[in-house]
Amino acid sequence: MGHLENEVRPAAYDRIGVGYRRIRRPDPRLHALIGAALRGARTVVDVGAGAGSYEPEDAEVTAVDPSGVMLDQHPGRRKVRASASRLPFADGAFDAAMAVLTVHHWPDLRQGLAELRRVARRQVVFTWDPAHRPQLWLMEDYLPEIRQLEDGRFTPLAAVVEALDAHTVLPFPVPYDFTDGYQAAYWRRPELYLDPVVRQASSTFATLPPEVVEPAIGRLRADLASGEWHRRYADLLDRESVDYGYRLVIAGERPQG
């Protein structure tokens, strides 16, 4: 899940990816949403596959990722080390192509999305819209550097939709007990951001320097100890889910059923 960039980046994920599967555990609700979008596809290429999260169980899946460490954690038999902008497959080789939280890492987004359209008749892309509000409180009050980084990495949703000529965009509000430890997963469980193992499984935290991250985490730790965080965000404590701008984009052939 989410691991394609330029020649430098695979080495970064060789470091970040150690133990990745322990923190980034696929959530069944997101799995169901993506599975419905892939319904009827017998052959699927997962571009930026990482450890293989959210791949359909009833299809023949080919995993593509530039990181050997990530592919070593992938349980499948069909694994190819390659980049999104140069997929080593024939035109129309797959019923569907999927890409989960990875397009923000691609050095040439339009070329990568064009490759998805070239090799598959259906495209299913899970991404995040940097223009969406509200954003996670962690960005707003503790680490605005995350917002700056993400604004530079993520392409606005409208550009992804346009490049794919997508026909469907589905929201995915993040549940409070979401099991996949990506950045917004712990919006109602702030104490988990204190865990360096949890932070290491996020490319954003792993990209920011310790001199930026550690003071912010120190402020969060103090606010949790004093009760200030719970006072400030009391409105979140009874919420079941929050829409933080995660979207599933579907293009090409429509799902069956």
Side-chain angles (χ1 to χ4, degrees):
M1 172 179 170
H3 314 106
L4 283 174
E5 200 180 353
N6 55 26
E7 285 73 10
V8 176
R9 195 171 171 284
Y13 260 95
D14 286 347
R15 172 176 53 84
I16 296 168
V18 176
Y20 187 89
R21 284 174 66 91
R22 290 188 294 112
I23 302 300
R24 302 297 293 268
R25 293 176 292 116
D27 187 273
R29 292 153 292 194
L30 181 53
H31 190 102
L33 185 71
I34 294 173
L38 292 168
R39 187 180 296 120
R42 294 168 298 175
T43 57
V44 175
V45 59
D46 185 2
V47 181
S53 300
Y54 306 109
E55 293 175 353
E57 296 88 354
D58 57 351
E60 177 184 291
V61 179
T62 298
V64 176
D65 200 288
S67 167
V69 168
M70 298 308 301
L71 284 179
D72 284 347
Q73 296 183 66
H74 193 288
R77 293 182 294 109
R78 299 175 179 83
K79 296 185 278 191
V80 177
R81 197 167 179 178
S83 80
S85 58
R86 295 182 298 275
L87 296 177
F89 310 113
D91 295 0
F94 301 94
D95 293 333
M98 62 184 292
V100 179
L101 286 183
T102 181
V103 299
H104 58 291
H105 291 306
W106 298 356
D108 188 335
L109 176 75
R110 289 190 174 273
Q111 176 62 25
L113 296 177
E115 282 287 272
L116 297 191
R117 298 182 72 179
R118 181 184 67 79
V119 303
R121 291 178 287 281
R122 186 189 316 167
Q123 300 82 41
V124 176
V125 173
F126 186 63
T127 188
W128 176 74
D129 185 5
H132 181 83
R133 296 296 182 273
Q135 292 190 340
L136 179 65
W137 53 262
L138 187 70
M139 298 182 185
E140 299 290 346
D141 289 343
Y142 294 94
L143 273 167
E145 294 85 359
I146 290 181
R147 186 194 306 115
Q148 296 163 13
L149 179 63
E150 300 293 54
D151 284 351
R153 296 198 306 172
F154 277 87
T155 300
L157 181 69
V160 176
V161 170
E162 186 272 333
L164 286 173
D165 191 22
H167 52 71
T168 303
V169 178
L170 301 174
F172 181 74
V174 182
Y176 78 94
D177 56 351
F178 194 58
T179 64
D180 189 345
Y182 64 64
Q183 185 172 281
Y186 308 118
W187 60 268
R188 213 180 90 176
R189 296 170 289 169
E191 65 282 353
L192 290 175
Y193 290 114
L194 305 181
D195 186 341
V197 176
V198 168
R199 297 199 303 272
Q200 183 67 18
S202 164
S203 65
T204 302
F205 276 112
T207 300
L208 291 172
E211 58 267 27
V212 170
V213 173
E214 293 303 330
I217 295 302
R219 291 194 299 274
L220 174 58
R221 181 179 289 107
D223 284 351
L224 288 172
S226 70
E228 174 61 24
W229 187 93
H230 291 83
R231 287 190 291 272
R232 188 182 305 159
Y233 300 108
D235 62 310
L236 293 178
L237 299 180
D238 294 324
R239 300 279 298 273
E240 295 294 314
S241 64
V242 176
D243 183 359
Y244 281 122
Y246 291 89
R247 297 291 185 267
L248 187 68
V249 180
I250 308 171
E253 181 182 82
R254 292 178 180 270
Q256 297 179 8

